[in-house]
Amino acid sequence: MAGRHNDLTDVAGIRVGHYQRVGEGWLTGTTVVLSPPGTVGGVDVRGGGPCTRETDALAPGTLVEVVHAICLSGGSVYGLAAATGVTDWLGERGVGLPVGPNAGEVAPIVPAAGLYDLRPGAFDCRPDVAFGRSAAEAAARPGGLGPVALGSVGAGAGARAGGLKGGIGSASVVLEGGVTVAALVAVNSAGSPIDLATGELRAASFLLPGDMSGLGDLRRPEASDVAGAAARLSGVSPRVGNTVLVVVATDAEVSQPQCTRLAMAAHDGLARAVHPAHGLTDGDVVFAVATRSTPLASPQATSSLLQRAGTAHPAALGGLMAAGADAVARAVVRAVLFAEAVNGVPTYRDLYRSALTSVH
Amino acid sequence: MAGRHNDLTDVAGIRVGHYQRVGEGWLTGTTVVLSPPGTVGGVDVRGGGPCTRETDALAPGTLVEVVHAICLSGGSVYGLAAATGVTDWLGERGVGLPVGPNAGEVAPIVPAAGLYDLRPGAFDCRPDVAFGRSAAEAAARPGGLGPVALGSVGAGAGARAGGLKGGIGSASVVLEGGVTVAALVAVNSAGSPIDLATGELRAASFLLPGDMSGLGDLRRPEASDVAGAAARLSGVSPRVGNTVLVVVATDAEVSQPQCTRLAMAAHDGLARAVHPAHGLTDGDVVFAVATRSTPLASPQATSSLLQRAGTAHPAALGGLMAAGADAVARAVVRAVLFAEAVNGVPTYRDLYRSALTSVH
């Protein structure tokens, strides 16, 4: 069952903020996730064209296990500047690893990644340091605790999914035992989230009750829509840069290396929702964070692996990993469904009107 | 034999620029390496507390094989901001991967790493975007082609090597067949570059003629200096953050994956010059770049491995890797020898006066 907001903020303490500029050549933005004290983080980079910052610090076995914020941004390599804004903003507030003899001398850990949305916006209109500060401030306001705005906002403002408008999606699930796992995605994929032959969203079968919130019900679109959309999308030329950026969050009490496993597993949700995924022109990255406030329930069945002190039961961890991957697939579907048309990039709802029943 | 300048600029087309601020609380800086078109790059992170940017893009097999600049900076996580300055500066000049339909629409690839020098400078005095721009501009000026200023400059301005003043060092060697390999280091290590029992620099035996340029000859220091230095250095408290940042450059015609092997091998030079190295509080990183203008000579002896089209002969590549590691060891020794005292951090020359013969 989905959580209260059905988004990343269903993990207690997680805050999300968007900032974007649209119009006068601008069509890009930044999304910041702020995590509570003690949050551990891992990362898995599987795209062939990654654009990242502070990922080496998250390798298992390094000095750093915690994450203070994650910054997702448009603007390709230029957009990594937004992470500096988040780092400065946190440092000014004394949030970070203590690294000096005096109070407030901290080094905030802000892993970040960029996606390529330099078209359809103007090439020189891209996120800078101020975008990161603004998105962090948005996350710190009461609204940062959710619900998270979805669609053409934040890092998803200028995003595209194949030939369709992409954007921000999110979803959550509460597991037996009370653990919550959620995903937030910025979908800007080279591959398509739909099966052009049927017009169906590839990961529609993973949706949970509530995932369609307010959009009506999803059904197989009519042949006329399928033919019209196929014709429209076949004319879209491929881009040099793409990328799906993902943040998976959970309150489960898992270790930093286990968090890295959670990030690795989450890529499977992307594989189910987008085809093809993880291409050479995609910089697909999954960050996973765990606030560690809720024990991960252990099945009754004993196992020698249970003896490993301080680690979650393999079966329970496996369930968390699978649920995280499913949350990613659902979040991708929701990103595409909630996207709004901009600069002539069509949305799924525009091209497949018959796929959505009218809302009563 | 060492190259003309005995530094990184002996690799044709490589430019180096420093920018630092010293005084009024400032004691930090940035060093930028600009590489000519077609330069490929690899990276190997072996420190336990890395602070990096754009390293995932250099993983073998990704879309990106080229490097346009490398940015080394003080300021820990905050100093990564300097890389944004370099990226913007290059982008404004149309230097980068073409990613748009119009001229000048490029994505500069600027891998970067930070070192922790927030003490002895003031904690809030650290490199920002402007430091990166200034260092890139310095590299672009005629002086950027060398010789490279060594010691307490650029990313080495506030650096320390164990209890001694650290800084920027560089060295080069020209191999049989004409290939040049060189290293530039910013030494800010937790470990010491000297053997406290003898006062000798750990990697002194790797020095080549000319490495002492102008400093006289190196000899075993007298017992009184050794005792005095040991007493002085035993009082130095360890820091939270350290790091040795390394750039290895060659003109050899090697592939991007082979460049990654060159980076991996270069860490051995660090292991020989600093003890301990690669600690949990070190963010030790080696970037390796190859301009690929000079064929890597193949020994006469044939080998089945020779059949691998497009790859350098294993023996020739092995020689390049070993020479790169030795250049790193020499560069560390030179960094320590050329360092100048600041904020009461003693230099090797101060503590071991008897180790250096007077210059005639």
Side-chain angles (χ1 to χ4, degrees):
Chain A
M1 173 181 118
R4 174 162 162 250
H5 294 138
N6 197 16
D7 64 37
L8 207 71
T9 63
D10 289 328
V11 176
I14 294 288
R15 293 174 163 273
V16 177
H18 299 305
Y19 179 76
Q20 63 282 324
R21 281 189 67 180
V22 178
E24 297 172 331
W26 289 91
L27 186 57
T28 190
T30 298
T31 297
V32 168
V33 176
L34 298 181
S35 49
T39 298
V40 299
V43 63
D44 185 31
V45 178
R46 291 196 63 197
C51 174
T52 60
R53 176 190 187 277
E54 287 278 60
T55 50
D56 293 308
L58 298 187
T62 61
L63 182 69
V64 173
E65 293 199 322
V66 301
V67 164
H68 301 99
I70 291 170
C71 181
L72 312 180
S73 202
S76 185
V77 298
Y78 303 100
L80 289 177
T84 283
V86 180
T87 303
D88 292 347
W89 185 89
L90 289 168
E92 291 161 11
R93 286 153 181 77
V95 178
L97 288 177
V99 292
N102 307 318
E105 296 185 344
V106 297
I109 305 302
V110 185
L115 62 82
Y116 183 95
D117 61 355
L118 297 174
R119 291 283 179 261
F123 190 82
D124 59 357
C125 292
R126 50 220 179 194
D128 58 10
V129 174
F131 273 60
R133 281 185 172 274
S134 298
E137 281 163 6
R141 287 193 285 269
L145 288 173
V148 175
L150 306 182
S152 305
V153 295
R160 284 176 292 181
L164 295 171
K165 182 70 184 73
I168 296 291
S170 195
S172 73
V173 63
V174 181
L175 307 178
E176 276 185 55
V179 162
T180 297
V181 59
L184 180 142
V185 300
V187 182
N188 187 57
S189 55
S192 175
I194 56 176
D195 177 346
L196 279 175
T198 66
E200 292 177 296
L201 285 149
R202 291 186 173 277
S205 64
F206 293 90
L207 294 180
L208 293 183
D211 283 352
M212 295 295 295
S213 50
L215 294 177
D217 293 324
L218 203 55
R219 61 185 178 191
R220 190 171 184 140
E222 291 163 11
S224 56
D225 279 353
V226 174
R232 174 92 178 259
L233 294 174
S234 63
V236 177
S237 57
R239 287 171 299 162
V240 167
N242 305 281
T243 287
V244 180
L245 303 179
V246 179
V247 178
V248 172
T250 182
D251 53 8
E253 193 174 9
V254 295
S255 67
Q256 192 272 345
Q258 291 171 328
C259 221
T260 305
R261 300 301 308 184
L262 182 59
M264 293 166 70
H267 277 289
D268 290 351
L270 183 54
R272 293 166 185 137
V274 177
H275 183 280
H278 304 120
L280 269 177
T281 63
D282 289 302
D284 302 340
V285 179
V286 176
F287 297 101
V289 297
T291 60
R292 315 183 73 231
S293 63
T294 308
L296 194 55
S298 299
Q300 293 310 308
T302 59
S303 148
S304 65
L305 287 165
L306 263 174
Q307 306 310 317
R308 294 188 307 177
T311 68
H313 186 286
L317 179 59
L320 180 69
M321 291 159 63
D326 291 348
V328 169
R330 292 163 52 209
V332 170
V333 171
R334 279 160 58 83
V336 174
L337 284 172
F338 282 89
E340 284 131 31
V342 285
N343 286 28
V345 181
T347 66
Y348 183 80
R349 285 181 287 162
D350 292 337
L351 295 186
Y352 300 96
R353 296 188 178 285
S354 58
L356 290 156
T357 58
S358 58
V359 183
H360 309 297
Chain B
M1 173 180 117
R4 174 161 163 251
H5 295 139
N6 196 18
D7 64 36
L8 207 71
T9 63
D10 289 328
V11 175
I14 293 289
R15 291 173 164 274
V16 177
H18 299 304
Y19 179 76
Q20 64 282 325
R21 281 190 66 179
V22 178
E24 297 171 331
W26 288 90
L27 186 58
T28 190
T30 299
T31 296
V32 168
V33 175
L34 297 181
S35 49
T39 298
V40 298
V43 63
D44 185 31
V45 178
R46 291 197 62 198
C51 174
T52 60
R53 176 191 187 278
E54 285 280 60
T55 50
D56 294 308
L58 298 187
T62 62
L63 183 69
V64 173
E65 293 199 322
V66 301
V67 164
H68 301 99
I70 291 170
C71 181
L72 312 180
S73 203
S76 185
V77 297
Y78 303 100
L80 290 178
T84 283
V86 180
T87 304
D88 292 346
W89 186 88
L90 288 168
E92 290 160 10
R93 286 153 181 76
V95 178
L97 288 177
V99 291
N102 306 318
E105 296 185 342
V106 297
I109 305 303
V110 185
L115 61 82
Y116 183 95
D117 61 356
L118 298 174
R119 291 283 178 263
F123 190 83
D124 58 356
C125 292
R126 49 219 181 195
D128 58 9
V129 174
F131 274 59
R133 280 184 172 276
S134 298
E137 281 162 4
R141 287 193 286 268
L145 288 172
V148 176
L150 305 183
S152 306
V153 294
R160 285 176 292 181
L164 295 172
K165 182 71 184 73
I168 297 291
S170 195
S172 73
V173 62
V174 181
L175 306 179
E176 276 185 54
V179 162
T180 297
V181 59
L184 180 142
V185 300
V187 183
N188 187 56
S189 55
S192 176
I194 56 176
D195 177 347
L196 279 175
T198 65
E200 292 177 297
L201 285 149
R202 292 186 173 277
S205 64
F206 293 90
L207 293 180
L208 294 183
D211 283 351
M212 295 295 296
S213 50
L215 294 177
D217 294 323
L218 203 56
R219 61 184 178 191
R220 191 172 182 140
E222 291 162 10
S224 57
D225 279 355
V226 175
R232 173 94 179 258
L233 294 174
S234 62
V236 177
S237 57
R239 286 171 299 162
V240 167
N242 303 280
T243 287
V244 180
L245 302 179
V246 179
V247 178
V248 172
T250 181
D251 54 8
E253 193 173 8
V254 295
S255 67
Q256 192 273 345
Q258 291 171 329
C259 220
T260 305
R261 299 302 306 183
L262 182 60
M264 293 167 69
H267 276 288
D268 290 351
L270 183 54
R272 293 166 186 135
V274 176
H275 182 280
H278 305 121
L280 269 177
T281 64
D282 290 301
D284 302 340
V285 179
V286 176
F287 297 100
V289 296
T291 60
R292 315 183 72 233
S293 64
T294 307
L296 194 55
S298 298
Q300 293 309 307
T302 59
S303 150
S304 65
L305 288 165
L306 263 174
Q307 307 310 319
R308 294 189 306 177
T311 68
H313 185 287
L317 180 60
L320 179 70
M321 290 159 63
D326 291 349
V328 169
R330 292 163 52 210
V332 170
V333 171
R334 279 159 58 82
V336 174
L337 284 172
F338 283 88
E340 285 130 33
V342 285
N343 286 28
V345 181
T347 67
Y348 183 80
R349 284 181 287 161
D350 292 336
L351 295 186
Y352 300 95
R353 295 187 178 284
S354 58
L356 291 155
T357 59
S358 58
V359 183
H360 309 298

